[in-house]
Amino acid sequence: MAEPVEIFEVGPRDGLQNEIRPIPTVEKIALVDRLSQAGFRRIEVASFVSPKWVPQMADGAAVLAGIARAPGVRYAALTPNMTGYAGARAARADEVAIFASASEGFSRANLNCSVDDSIARFLPILESARADGMAVRGYISCVTDCPFDGPTPPGAVADLAARLIDLGCYEVSLGDTIGQATPDSLTAMLRAVLDRVPAARLAGHYHDTAGRACDNIEASLALGLRVFDAAVGGLGGCPYAPGAQGNVATEAAMDRIESLGYTTGLNRAAILDAAAMARQMRTGA
Ligand code: HMG
Ligand code: MG
């Protein structure tokens, strides 16, 4: 039987957060409801961040309240601090994600603080989550390249990944935030991380700015990673990473992964349908 590889759908969060057009809450709910029927086990649907920083995500609680939760699907939310954690918990997110950067420049642009200060803000989230039985995922941004600081040393990513796991994250998602990784630079980074954290606790989160995201998924599969973040329709980018374009499209990631003999368990027709909907949301047509 083909070995399973999981795609973690992040389009409703990482995808939509970057859209300029204010997207009505009902449209976000409709997209999530469609994705809930496509075979995902995890979907990131909201951010509980400052609405002054990312206005598009200000309706996270309404999105979580309005979706039809499908059995077996976990609905995740991004939380930068305790205010965000309290919001996500009140909205009944099934899990939360904290997000740190492997580079100081991006940490300041995205979170307005140093990497160490961001970890200090995450500590109470991790402590409360442990008490609440809430799972916490960790993201690391700029794992090979930073738009402010240039190339990221692999050792910095390995240190931070090990730290997030030690602090209680169940999985660390490694973000090529600006989509500049090559299979070679990504492999060098992954080898350093894999010396400290097993592949089963890692995910790949690759943006497709340079058109190499699927090649980077393939390089990661060869090193044992089996979870990849993606966004239907290739939605996305990051508002605080100049030049960052879309996440790898779920439909492209699914095709590449399945062409290599793995199974994603996703329903192709449902994915293509959701991708068409996501692309329409961009234009409001
Ligand atoms: P700050 O301005 O330094 O902090 O922002 P603050 O504590 O002074 O708060 C400013 C205002 O925001 C205050 O309101 C707070 O109450 C409010 P005011 O007194 O001015 O009226 N506030 C909040 N409101 C709602 N929810 C909250 C919250 N926190 C504070 N949780 C802060 C610091 C972290 C809040 C800000 O920098 C922020 O929200 N950053 C998030 C940026 C973001 O969402 N970026 C995109 C996601 S990361 C990403 O996409 C990368 C990833 O996909 C992986 C990859 O690709 O690499 C994960
Ligand atoms: Mg991202």
Side-chain angles (χ1 to χ4, degrees):
M1 221 174 84
E3 195 187 338
V5 167
E6 182 184 355
I7 296 186
F8 188 143
E9 174 61 44
V10 296
R13 193 283 300 173
D14 202 10
L16 297 183
Q17 72 179 7
N18 209 40
E19 293 303 314
I20 311 249
R21 177 179 87 91
I23 296 175
T25 307
V26 288
E27 289 187 29
K28 295 176 182 173
I29 291 170
L31 178 65
V32 175
D33 284 350
R34 206 161 285 198
L35 291 166
S36 291
Q37 303 306 317
F40 296 105
R41 286 161 49 202
R42 294 180 284 173
I43 306 175
E44 197 168 68
V45 298
S47 281
F48 289 83
V49 301
S50 165
K52 289 184 186 147
W53 281 63
V54 187
Q56 184 68 266
M57 292 283 105
D59 58 353
V63 171
L64 273 155
I67 57 176
R69 293 173 190 242
V73 182
R74 297 171 62 77
Y75 298 92
L78 203 67
T79 55
N81 52 23
M82 277 306 281
T83 309
Y85 178 74
R89 190 156 181 265
R92 294 196 306 114
D94 295 311
E95 62 176 72
V96 297
I98 55 176
F99 48 111
S101 171
S103 67
E104 291 294 339
F106 185 70
S107 186
R108 291 197 180 281
N110 196 40
L111 290 165
N112 201 23
C113 65
S114 68
V115 176
D116 280 344
D117 286 350
S118 74
I119 300 287
R121 286 183 193 166
F122 300 144
L123 291 178
I125 297 182
L126 289 152
E127 200 177 311
S128 298
R130 202 170 301 122
D132 297 337
M134 173 82 87
V136 182
R137 193 176 197 233
Y139 280 105
I140 301 180
S141 290
C142 299
V143 294
T144 58
D145 300 86
C146 170
F148 307 103
D149 299 353
T152 304
V157 187
D159 286 348
L160 187 53
R163 205 166 162 194
L164 291 176
I165 293 287
D166 286 348
L167 289 172
C169 292
Y170 76 89
E171 179 176 276
V172 171
S173 174
L174 300 165
D176 175 19
T177 314
I178 55 171
Q180 293 304 312
T182 64
D184 283 350
S185 66
L186 194 84
T187 295
M189 180 278 296
L190 285 176
R191 286 194 198 287
V193 175
L194 286 165
D195 278 346
R196 310 275 300 276
V197 178
R201 306 285 296 275
L202 297 172
H205 177 111
Y206 307 141
H207 287 251
D208 205 22
T209 317
R212 290 191 288 265
C214 284
D215 295 341
N216 290 335
I217 288 177
E218 193 166 334
S220 309
L221 284 167
L223 290 174
L225 270 69
R226 295 291 182 266
V227 178
F228 297 96
D229 300 348
V232 272
L235 283 176
C238 177
Y240 295 100
Q245 289 181 19
N247 289 80
V248 64
T250 305
E251 52 277 25
M254 173 183 70
D255 284 350
R256 177 67 70 97
I257 291 166
E258 294 188 349
S259 77
L260 294 167
Y262 300 92
T263 171
T264 61
L266 297 176
N267 176 322
R268 199 180 151 73
I271 295 292
L272 294 181
D273 192 37
M277 186 176 191
R279 280 192 295 268
Q280 253 176 18
M281 285 169 79
R282 280 213 143 134
T283 58

